Amino acid sequence: MDALRDFTAELDTDIHSDDPGGDRDFPLMPVGQAVDMGQAPDGTPLLDPRVLHSREFFRNPYPYYRIMRDHYPCFHDKLHNTYYVTRYEDVWRCYFDDEGFNTIPKGSSSGVLGNTQLELSGVEHRRRRNLYGQHLVGRSLDLRVPSIQRLARQMIDDWDDMLDSGYVFDDGRKRIVELGMAFANEFPVRVVCEVLGFPNEARKQFFYWYNSMMSGLGGSALQKQGLEARQSLEDYVQEIVEERRRKPSYLKDEDGNVIGKDIITKLCETRVDGDYLSTEEITSNIALVVAAGGETTRGAIVNMWYLLLQHPEQFAAVCADTENWNRAFHETLRNSSPIGGQPRHNSHDLEMHGVHVPAGSLMQMVDFSANHDDRVFKDPEKFDIFRPDLYSGKLLRSGYSKEGRCSHMAFGVGPHLCPGAWISHQEAVEGSRILQQRLKNVRIVEDRMAKDIDGKSLAPIGIVRVPALWLEFDRP
Ligand code: HEM
């Protein structure tokens, strides 16, 4: 997805690296303080757009977003000819107006993912989304929760076989795991693989397709590998589609009772204007669902554990009452979302906060900044699963903003609101409940983690998802 490339392309950014990550090297500041870039004659702080691509920004973005929200709510980065929309209210309004702010052309995912709904707007988008989106929610998915729990248990059981992998160690009475490689990377892909109805034996291959397609997004040097993986996925899907067209396949609950057809079977039965969907269309949908739901959910799980374990009283609260995992999930997505925002193009010339934006400009809706807007969330940099101003109920396409509570913006709002929000919520919450039961006396292995500029405290998440999270707990 574009947002993934635009804001977190430097996933593995090492804050100690010598690469300045931009044309100008900015000093690394204590978290929460911005580099002083001078002032306009009226006292307005100046903002050098090169900071947006600096190492400093990747680790410590929020003071710069605050300058934007307070002084340049529609910031024109003339260096990259991009307009950044940073206030919650504005991002909200633009997301709902999909005629005024359309998703076309995004371009960067198309070669690899194919022709997906992510890049459609208006009627075409609605039609496609209704066809596909309905399969990602609803009763049959509610019934999948036990399978999600089973898959989580299986992944943890597999750790005994991973002792030589470099990601799981036994150290005396302790076990050490890297949560990403040992759990969060593959778990969401396994869940989606099962819900789609891929046979078990394809699971490993599925993970390879996923990794290759993700690396190939955004016209990167690995695009060729991504395109090859997509072709290989399409060849495989073709076989399954032919099979499913002959013989539908069903999802079953843990007791073997049928709970509905799998998603591929449903897509095979779907008709548009009397025609069945083509294999290409079905593959694009599968590729999108897999690409959109893997790295994002991984980021949510790992960021959530990183934040909770740094706030032991809040971790104790989720252990004491596992309902609190729901709050922890939403507060993580508000505080440190794995997705930074979404690109849009304005269909008409417009004025926003006194800035003229010519039709067809690239406008970045900055979800990271909207989620930290103190017009909506008090003390926004603070991680607090009990914050009273955050809505953490059922996700609504209309968003939620009343009675002093608002939804976070990590899933977007409006016509493109993430249709995978429910599954990712269940994966992160159910997966974490099981991890919590199995990881006794868990804590972060600080020696193995990246540090901040003081060389002692743990590196902030900033806008790069935690690349690796080393945990230590009592050996089972
Ligand atoms: C924490 C995890 C996730 C986050 C933060 C997230 C975030 C988002 C966001 C912000 C969008 C809106 C794009 C836009 O406005 O242009 C989106 C769209 C989408 N997401 Fe997710 N997502 C997550 C997990 C998932 C999962 C698990 C799936 C599927 C199983 C999924 C499938 C999709 C699809 C198909 C779209 C396109 C919807 C459309 O354009 O109508 N996502 N996601």
Side-chain angles (χ1 to χ4, degrees), residues 237-245 264 268 279 282:
V237 169
Q238 175 135 24
E239 285 172 32
I240 301 202
V241 165
E242 282 164 17
E243 217 174 285
R244 298 286 192 274
R245 290 206 206 275
I264 298 182
C268 289
T279 307
I282 295 178

Side-chain angles (χ1 to χ4, degrees), residues 36-332:
D36 183 354
M37 298 178 219
Q39 292 183 340
D42 65 358
T44 307
L46 296 175
L47 194 65
D48 180 336
R50 286 175 295 184
V51 79
L52 302 177
H53 299 269
S54 68
R55 240 185 316 147
E56 157 63 358
F57 185 74
F58 274 82
R59 59 174 280 283
N60 179 32
Y62 296 110
Y64 305 97
Y65 283 140
R66 183 181 292 271
I67 293 176
M68 284 195 216
R69 286 192 305 272
D70 290 349
H71 302 283
Y72 310 97
C74 178
F75 178 67
H76 185 194
D77 167 359
K78 293 184 182 146
L79 202 59
H80 303 90
N81 202 15
T82 301
Y83 296 80
Y84 289 89
V85 180
T86 48
R87 284 188 189 166
Y88 188 96
E89 281 281 340
D90 295 330
V91 171
W92 175 284
R93 199 168 34 83
C94 296
Y95 276 146
F96 275 104
D97 180 3
D98 74 329
E99 284 181 13
F101 301 88
N102 66 70
T103 56
I104 314 165
K106 271 186 184 164
S108 64
S109 67
S110 46
V112 175
L113 297 185
N115 171 19
T116 73
Q117 71 197 51
L118 201 57
E119 313 203 14
L120 297 175
S121 260
V123 179
E124 265 301 295
H125 170 259
R126 267 198 299 285
R127 220 163 57 138
R128 188 84 76 91
R129 184 178 162 111
N130 290 343
L131 287 178
Y132 296 155
Q134 57 177 310
H135 302 308
L136 294 171
V137 291
R139 187 169 170 273
S140 59
L141 281 174
D142 284 341
L143 294 169
R144 300 308 295 159
V145 170
S147 331
I148 293 177
Q149 294 165 335
R150 170 177 41 81
L151 289 169
R153 277 190 218 100
Q154 273 171 4
M155 292 221 56
I156 300 172
D157 291 342
D158 286 352
W159 289 351
D160 287 338
D161 301 327
M162 287 180 69
L163 286 167
D164 293 330
S165 66
Y167 302 107
V168 179
F169 301 97
D170 275 348
D171 175 10
R173 289 200 310 233
K174 299 277 165 217
R175 173 162 282 184
I176 295 177
V177 300
E178 197 286 284
L179 191 68
M181 292 303 281
F183 186 83
N185 292 12
E186 201 170 331
F187 174 55
V189 181
R190 282 198 195 182
V191 171
V192 168
C193 189
E194 187 165 304
V195 173
L196 284 169
F198 270 78
N200 262 346
E201 55 279 11
R203 211 196 298 150
K204 280 267 166 270
Q205 183 65 14
F206 201 75
F207 196 54
Y208 156 78
W209 286 319
Y210 163 72
N211 274 331
S212 308
M213 289 191 308
M214 287 307 286
S215 320
L217 293 182
S220 74
L222 297 171
Q223 188 177 15
K224 185 165 173 287
Q225 194 186 333
L227 288 169
E228 284 167 3
R230 191 218 138 81
Q231 186 56 52
S232 155
L233 171 67
E234 192 164 331
D235 294 345
Y236 185 76
V237 169
Q238 175 135 24
E239 285 172 32
I240 301 202
V241 165
E242 282 164 17
E243 217 174 285
R244 298 286 192 274
R245 290 206 206 275
R246 281 195 303 272
K247 188 168 171 256
S249 148
Y250 294 86
L251 295 171
K252 296 191 177 142
D253 66 16
E254 297 304 285
D255 300 324
N257 304 313
V258 169
I259 55 176
K261 291 175 179 160
D262 65 42
I263 294 183
I264 298 182
T265 301
K266 286 184 177 170
L267 291 175
C268 289
E269 292 174 352
T270 302
R271 287 176 188 245
V272 179
D273 297 336
D275 293 329
Y276 287 113
L277 295 180
S278 67
T279 307
E280 199 279 332
E281 284 174 298
I282 295 178
T283 309
S284 296
N285 181 57
I286 292 172
L288 170 64
V289 165
V290 172
E295 187 55 38
T296 46
T297 309
R298 174 220 179 265
I301 295 174
V302 175
N303 286 1
M304 179 162 68
W305 277 79
Y306 191 58
L307 288 165
L308 280 173
L309 290 173
Q310 289 181 76
H311 295 85
E313 67 303 337
Q314 298 188 43
F315 186 61
V318 295
C319 294
D321 179 356
T322 57
E323 281 305 304
N324 286 332
W325 280 105
N326 295 315
R327 292 170 178 275
F329 176 70
H330 287 294
E331 173 61 353
T332 300

